[in-house]
Every structure is written in C-alpha cells, then in structure tokens.
Amino acid sequence: MRTTLSAILLLVLAATALAQQNSPDSHFDGNSWWAHVKFLADDSLEGRDTGSEGLRKAQAYVVGQLQKAGLEPAGANGFYQPVRFNQYEVDESKSSLALVTGGQSKSLSFADDAFINTRSTRASANLSAPLVFIGYGLQIPEKNLDELADLDLKGKIVVYLAGSPSDIPTALASHYQTAGERWKSLHAAGAIGTVTIFNPASMDIPWSRISVNRNHPSMDLADPEFYETPGLQLGVSFNPASAEKLFDGSGHTFADIALKANAVILTKALESSNIVAKLTGSDPALKNEFVVLSAHIDHVGIGAPISGDRIYNGAMDNGSGSALAMDIAASLKAHPEKVQRSILFLLVTAEEKGLLGSKYFAAHPTVAPKSIVADVNVDMFLPIVPLKILKVGGLEESDLGARAASIAQSMGIKPIADPEPLRNLFIRSDQYNFIKQGVPSVKCDVTFEPGTLEQKIFKDWLTNRYHAPSDDVNQPVDLQAAALYEEFTRRLLLDTANTPARPRWKPDSFFRRYAPD
Ligand SMILES: [Zn+2]
C-alpha cells in the first residue's frame, strides 16, 4: 500500500513538473496587453506619426504606466530623450520622371511606374543621366562578389534589383543592402543616382499600396553626422511590373536609355523623443550594466484612405511591443525577482522613418555606451496564431541568440532561425542600430510551420493589414500567444540580467566586427 501510494505521489509530482514545463507559470494573461494595445491603437491617437500630437499622447500614456511600475527616468529630459529631425516631401505637381531613348522622351507615371523616393532624394534636382543596370548592385568582399567590376558608373544613374543573390548568407546580405552600405560603393564608383526595382520575391506590400502612400513625407535625423548618402542626387523606386520599360527600348540597348528627372523637394524641421526608463539592478557592480528592452512606439500616422479609413492605427506595428514593455515593467514590480544588471526600457520614435530614434539612441545613449550588454528588441511579434514556433532573429550570431532559443525550448516552444531571409528582417528593426554599436541583439517573433494554415494567416496579414489602416483593434489576435511571448521575453531579460558573463558574439559571426574587444 505504502509503496503504491508513494509511486502514485511520484507520478503526480512528475506530471506536475511536466505540466509546468509545457505550460509555464506565467506572469501574463494577455488582457492587460490588449488593453494597452487598444489605447495606443485608438483612432484618437491618429496612427502615432513621428512629430505628431497622437504620438505625444501615446508617449505620455507609456511614461505614466512606466512610472506606475516604479521605473526611474533615464532619458536626457526626465523619461524623454529629444531628437531633432528633418522632413522631406515631394511636390509631385511640379515634378516629373521620363525615360529618354534616341532623343525620344516617354514620361513615367508616378502612380503606376515609378516615383521619386525622398529617403534618397534630399534636395530638389533637375537632371538627365544615362542608366546602367547593375544587377543587385552589391559589392560583398567576404563572398568575392563585385557586381560593379568593369562598369563605368561615373555620372550615371544605376538601376538595381532590391535583394541579393540567394547564395549570400542572410546577415551578410542584409548588412550590404542597407542604404548607407550600398551607396558607399556606388558613390565611390561615381554614380549620382539610383533606381531601385522592387523585388516581387521580397515585397511585403503590393505596389498599389506602396504607391498610394508614396507622398507621405520621409524623415532623417537632423544632425549631419547621420547623413549616409552624400552625393546621391536622386533616388527612384520602380514598379517591377513596369520594369520592362527600362529594358525594351525597341531596338535600343539598355545603355542607350537615360532618365530625365525634375524633383521638387519640400523640407521642414521637427522634433520627437525616445522614452528611456530603468529598473536598477541589485548587484553593486552589475547594476552599472544594462540589458535593453527596445520597442518602437511610433507608426505611420494618417495616410491615403483604404476602404474609407485613413488612420493607420499600428496595433500590431508596434502597439504590440510597446504594450509588452509596459506589461513587463508592471510584472517586475508585482513579482520582484532578483535582477542583478539594470534593465533599460527604451521606446523609440521614428522607427518607421528608417530606424531613426534607435539610431540616435545607439549613437548617443543616455547611459555609458559600453554599459549596454544586450538588446532584446520587440517589434510586431504577431500573436495572430498560437505560439508554438518562435523565430529568433540573430539565433546563430551570439550566445544571446542561443539563450533565447533554449528559454523558448524550456517553455515548450520550438525556436527556429529566420526561414525567410529574403525579407531582410534582420536589418529592418531597431536591433540593427545596437548591432552596429557592437551590442549582441535578438528580435523574436511568433511564426508558423511551412505549408500550414498558419502560414496563410501570416501571408494574408502582411498583404492586407501590414502598414494598412486595418492593423487596428478590430482584428483577431491570440491573447494566449501574446501572454506566452511576454513570459518568454521576461525570462530572456531576467536570465540575461542575472548571468555573470556579458552576452558575446559567436567567433564566426559577421557582426562581431562591430564589437570592441
Ligand atoms: Zn512598421
């Protein structure tokens, strides 16, 4: 009898342990997360555009919540770090683009063929220059790839296809495709302008939706130290469906085609802020080091109406990550575990303008630059299906990636590396600015098994809701997935804060080159 009883007890204990492993004790239920998302994505906040009143209201709400959670201000001005921007807008009524072949000029339609991109056209320009096709236009010394070899690009406008050859590793390909890196080699070769043909293989948003918002102003950091494309006079974005106009030329070779452009650019200065708050660690030495939890709070604001709605609410992008930051702060107050390193809560502005708020912070942090040991970035983690598989961006690059994977595994979640390298996600959110300062970083997202219904849910979401007014609170979300993701992030932060050794890049990681030894 006794043996049987203890055998049963043992079984019960084992079952409990197993249950804990599979559905871990959680500090979150998804409800407070959703309440925060609802506040941030409300129509009254008008899509939280950088520099707007709506974003200021969202930020005041976040600061209030972080204060309530007992965090201390860690910005330059209380919880805020002011950042100055310039805004650029095309006056299309006074601008034009045309292809010139054998003295004949054919104008291009801004809506259907190509538009002037103000991210790369910073001043009014009136010019005509020959076009040269350069493939992907990449120079990647690590892979002996040089698509510019033997080309005369002096005074030319280069035409390239967005993306990279499929045999180039993701991290490397991502890095060399950033605007600054790409332009470095083109500028050195003498080019004066770029035409980017969007790559249908990697377009998250169809041309029609990109085109309808083409006149939304772009921004850059006002401080000239951040200007990455000196000498670039004109940047044009080209519809892949119209690309044959660049190539046919009825009997003419590609080399005979010139692009004639008249770009009228309007500029304006404005200011916005990052939010920086800290939870001070308990260890007398380690508390001077920081694990950063970053999330962008801005979105794209008000845009062209789609189905009668012009407010781009940004519920998942990135109300979801901002809400997570508030939830995690509150949970650390309600359930204070030992936290040895300090945790920095960073809600950046102007991510949608080109990762600008984080770029500014990473270059001018409000804590000692060398004290930042890791960045865990959360951006649009998409809890729209149950969290069974977690994509760990940066999985193979550092022991922080490996730690994220093992924590996911311990929670019954399968960690995987980025299965869609063509979408270039590793450079498309704020972690990239920390990586460039040498800080090991990860960005994790809910994902799917290929060939499943979940894959279709994700594809439909990107096509229809990503950067559209329908990324609002009238969409189905999985609150349990959100809660589980929050729990994962909380454990990753605590584990990183409490592990004596700082995270390190793997010896063979491309990004190790940025790390001071
Ligand atoms: Zn976005």
Side-chain angles (χ1 to χ4, degrees):
M1 211 44 205
R2 280 186 59 179
T3 4
T4 321
L5 241 183
S6 42
I8 290 171
L9 256 175
L10 270 174
L11 273 173
V12 169
L13 281 174
T16 314
L18 208 69
Q20 264 169 0
Q21 194 185 18
N22 289 337
S23 61
D25 266 353
S26 185
H27 297 82
F28 309 98
D29 59 10
N31 293 322
S32 56
W33 174 79
W34 188 235
H36 290 318
V37 171
K38 276 183 164 163
F39 183 94
L40 296 172
D42 192 85
D43 276 357
S44 64
L45 269 56
E46 299 188 321
R48 307 187 306 277
D49 199 8
T50 299
S52 73
E53 195 46 43
L55 179 58
R56 279 189 284 275
K57 278 188 205 162
Q59 290 175 319
Y61 174 78
V62 170
V63 166
Q65 294 293 323
L66 296 180
Q67 260 173 325
K68 221 162 83 181
L71 298 194
E72 302 156 58
N77 175 14
F79 285 92
Y80 294 96
Q81 179 187 41
V83 186
R84 289 181 309 115
F85 297 92
N86 287 326
Q87 175 179 295
Y88 305 89
E89 199 173 353
V90 182
D91 184 347
E92 275 195 357
S93 66
K94 294 180 183 146
S95 304
S96 62
L97 287 175
L99 293 174
V100 185
T101 316
Q104 283 212 325
S105 175
K106 267 193 212 151
S107 64
L108 294 168
S109 149
F110 288 132
D112 300 328
D113 299 326
F115 59 84
I116 296 160
N117 189 330
T118 48
R119 277 203 182 169
S120 36
T121 315
R122 292 301 169 73
S124 296
N126 196 337
L127 57 94
S128 179
L131 295 175
V132 182
F133 184 66
I134 57 171
Y136 294 108
L138 293 170
Q139 280 181 325
I140 303 183
E142 290 85 347
K143 290 283 159 190
N144 290 320
L145 175 72
D146 185 0
E147 293 182 279
L148 311 184
D150 308 321
L151 291 175
D152 175 15
L153 303 183
K154 206 158 171 38
K156 308 276 171 54
I157 294 173
V158 297
V159 179
Y160 67 84
L161 185 64
S164 64
S166 55
D167 58 335
I168 306 290
T170 322
L172 206 57
S174 297
H175 171 76
Y176 281 106
Q177 284 179 74
T178 54
E181 284 303 319
R182 223 191 250 278
W183 181 246
K184 251 184 227 166
S185 43
L186 295 174
H187 186 42
I192 60 163
T194 57
V195 171
T196 310
I197 304 173
F198 287 146
N199 191 333
S202 58
M203 282 170 81
D204 284 339
I205 301 181
W207 172 266
S208 57
R209 283 219 287 115
I210 295 173
S211 167
V212 85
N213 277 310
R214 66 187 181 275
N215 288 328
H216 207 80
S218 75
M219 285 182 200
D220 202 357
L221 292 162
D223 197 325
E225 72 174 271
F226 296 105
Y227 185 46
E228 289 184 346
T229 53
L232 178 53
Q233 297 179 38
L234 178 77
V236 169
S237 299
F238 219 94
N239 182 357
S242 296
E244 84 276 7
K245 294 193 182 186
L246 290 165
F247 297 98
D248 70 7
S250 52
H252 294 268
T253 65
F254 188 75
D256 295 331
I257 303 183
L259 181 70
K260 204 168 107 188
N262 182 26
V264 175
I265 308 293
L266 313 168
T267 62
K268 186 177 125 184
L270 57 90
E271 196 180 289
S272 185
S273 298
N274 294 323
I275 294 172
V276 202
K278 73 173 169 183
L279 177 80
T280 302
S282 60
D283 183 273
L286 289 180
K287 73 174 183 188
N288 298 315
E289 294 184 348
F290 296 87
V291 179
V292 173
L293 170 65
S294 59
H296 76 88
I297 181 169
D298 67 299
H299 192 54
V300 299
I302 292 175
I306 296 179
S307 308
D309 187 359
R310 29 196 304 270
I311 299 175
Y312 288 55
N313 306 75
M316 293 302 106
D317 186 11
N318 183 30
S320 64
S322 306
L324 169 143
M326 292 184 269
D327 260 358
I328 289 188
S331 84
L332 288 170
K333 183 178 186 183
H335 306 270
E337 282 101 329
K338 192 178 66 166
V339 184
Q340 296 186 315
R341 284 193 179 84
S342 299
I343 299 179
L344 205 64
F345 290 71
L346 174 65
L347 287 106
V348 296
T349 187
E351 187 273 349
E352 302 287 9
K353 311 295 178 190
L355 318 181
L356 299 180
S358 59
K359 193 180 194 177
Y360 187 82
F361 181 87
H364 300 286
T366 53
V367 297
K370 292 204 169 102
S371 68
I372 298 175
V373 306
D375 176 43
V376 175
N377 186 43
V378 178
D379 182 4
M380 207 176 92
F381 62 93
L382 284 185
I384 54 175
V385 302
L387 173 49
K388 290 181 260 177
I389 309 176
L390 186 75
K391 181 170 64 188
V392 179
L395 174 61
E396 280 125 6
E397 307 298 334
S398 70
D399 55 11
L400 181 66
R403 173 176 298 146
S406 79
I407 289 172
Q409 221 141 26
S410 76
M411 296 172 69
I413 304 163
K414 179 181 166 191
I416 60 166
D418 188 356
E420 303 171 288
L422 278 178
R423 284 179 60 214
N424 227 0
L425 295 174
F426 202 54
I427 64 162
R428 277 175 48 184
S429 189
D430 296 302
Q431 74 279 358
Y432 197 57
N433 287 313
F434 286 93
I435 291 169
K436 285 199 288 187
Q437 301 290 339
V439 177
S441 306
V442 286
K443 175 179 182 289
C444 302
D445 300 286
V446 178
T447 192
F448 50 82
E449 198 85 66
T452 56
L453 175 68
E454 271 110 33
Q455 179 171 29
K456 190 179 163 345
I457 293 174
F458 270 81
K459 175 126 195 11
D460 289 349
W461 194 92
L462 286 174
T463 306
N464 301 315
R465 294 192 196 268
Y466 176 54
H467 281 209
S470 56
D471 177 14
D472 60 13
V473 293
N474 302 312
Q475 65 180 305
V477 292
D478 186 323
L479 294 185
Q480 274 181 337
L484 191 59
Y485 180 94
E486 287 187 312
E487 181 62 27
F488 158 79
T489 306
R490 188 182 195 273
R491 291 183 188 197
L492 178 58
L493 291 169
L494 288 181
D495 199 60
T496 309
N498 292 339
T499 301
R502 293 170 72 125
R504 290 181 73 87
W505 295 100
K506 296 248 178 87
D508 59 348
S509 170
F510 168 79
F511 298 103
R512 208 176 83 104
R513 67 184 59 194
Y514 298 115
D517 273 337

